[in-house]
Amino acid sequence: MLAATVHHPDPAWRARLAILAIGTALLWPALVFSEFKPWILFDLQSLAAASQFLAGFLKPAHAPEFLAMVLRETWQTVAIATAGLTLALLGAIPATLIITERLSISRLGTRRMHWAARLLRQLVRWVLVLLRSVPELVWAILFVRVVGLGPTAGVLAIALTYSGMLGKVYAEILESTDAHATGALLANGSSRLAALLYGALPESSAELVSYTVYRWECAIRGSAVIGFVGAGGLGQRMDESTRMMAGGEVCTMLIMFVLLVALADAVSKLLRRRLG
């Protein structure tokens, strides 16, 4: 009689074990080089500092003068995000006109772009890559060193990073639309700007506006974060209170920060839903 074959309950156990082993082998060097030491959290000195901070954190500050300051800084955070995004649009729109190949006049008839136009487009693309590759937090640190503490650094940081993002995505959206109307306008002597306004925008305006609103929502989050390096707004005040171990103040500003992000998210969703 042949012995009964014993089947493992998981037929893919060897593959799963191999993936686990490979993942562990790849993750371990990363943990070593990042100096990941979670046991520091349970050090007696760390626990004492955390307990002292949490004792005040559980009692949100609610003095009228402090709440007025929080509201003022919250409004400044929204203003930084809005002004930064507006400046980003001033840079992104011309860049979009340049790098969108569908709006190229030199491609008409031959389908081959002139070498000078191709070189200009590539240079602008590289500039956009540079702008969006550097996080707004890094730009904020640089501008704080140049213009000093305050919202000016935050506005400039958001403007540079988001102009790179908006220019790239705007061009991709325009390239994905139907090229018939744009090509017909250009072939009949229309300018590139008119071809954009009357050919490409009618088909892609909803998607462009939706992405812009989403970026405004992200800019509000970013403007709160870059405040921790002195770029103004609610983040800068939260950093000051954290340094002073004022847990109650940090709690109040954290609640306001969560409400601000939630409100921005709700407004963004509402506008994107209205745009279809």
Side-chain angles (χ1 to χ4, degrees):
M1 180 181 293
L2 297 176
T5 303
V6 178
H7 295 283
H8 195 276
D10 184 4
W13 69 273
R14 290 187 178 87
R16 299 183 193 278
L17 185 61
I19 293 174
L20 179 62
I22 294 173
T24 303
L26 295 176
L27 179 62
W28 181 253
L31 293 176
V32 172
F33 283 106
S34 64
E35 299 182 6
F36 181 63
K37 302 175 181 178
W39 53 86
I40 296 179
L41 294 172
F42 303 99
D43 182 74
L44 293 179
Q45 186 176 359
S46 300
L47 290 175
S51 61
Q52 180 182 357
F53 181 79
L54 287 175
F57 185 83
L58 297 177
K59 301 176 182 178
H62 55 276
E65 297 82 2
F66 178 75
L67 292 179
M69 183 273 295
V70 170
L71 291 175
R72 184 175 62 253
E73 297 301 323
T74 301
W75 171 246
Q76 188 178 73
T77 298
V78 177
I80 291 172
T82 306
L85 186 65
T86 303
L87 290 179
L89 288 171
L90 295 179
I93 293 175
T96 302
L97 279 171
I98 294 175
I99 68 174
T100 303
E101 295 187 7
R102 184 160 293 178
L103 298 174
S104 174
I105 298 178
S106 62
R107 293 176 69 247
L108 293 175
T110 62
R111 292 290 181 179
R112 297 184 62 182
M113 195 180 304
H114 192 270
W115 68 268
R118 187 177 297 277
L119 177 61
L120 177 61
R121 280 174 170 79
Q122 192 59 48
L123 289 175
V124 174
R125 285 193 183 99
W126 286 339
V127 172
L128 294 179
V129 168
L130 173 63
L131 293 177
R132 68 175 180 269
S133 298
V134 180
E136 60 264 37
L137 186 62
V138 177
W139 284 121
I141 294 174
L142 295 176
F143 281 119
V144 164
R145 300 295 184 271
V146 175
V147 301
L149 300 174
T152 301
V155 171
L156 293 175
I158 290 177
L160 288 181
T161 301
Y162 280 60
S163 62
M165 295 178 180
L166 292 173
K168 174 182 180 295
V169 177
Y170 282 174
E172 291 179 350
I173 292 174
L174 293 176
E175 291 286 1
S176 64
T177 58
D178 186 11
H180 178 72
T182 304
L185 288 171
L186 292 174
N188 286 278
S190 173
S191 66
R192 300 176 68 218
L193 181 59
L196 171 66
L197 294 176
Y198 301 107
L201 280 185
E203 295 184 6
S204 57
S205 57
E207 190 173 357
L208 290 171
V209 174
S210 176
Y211 181 75
T212 304
V213 172
Y214 168 72
R215 274 297 154 198
W216 174 74
E217 174 192 337
C218 295
I220 290 180
R221 295 192 185 100
S223 61
V225 173
I226 62 179
F228 281 87
V229 298
L234 190 61
Q236 183 172 344
R237 301 303 179 187
M238 190 182 297
D239 179 59
E240 295 172 357
S241 297
T242 303
R243 294 176 184 273
M244 295 185 298
M245 298 295 288
E249 295 181 0
V250 173
C251 180
T252 301
M253 287 186 283
L254 186 59
I255 293 173
M256 182 60 70
F257 176 63
V258 172
L259 293 176
L260 175 62
V261 173
L263 178 62
D265 181 69
V267 172
S268 177
K269 286 182 178 179
L270 177 63
L271 292 177
R272 290 202 299 269
R273 190 179 301 115
R274 291 291 181 89
L275 293 170

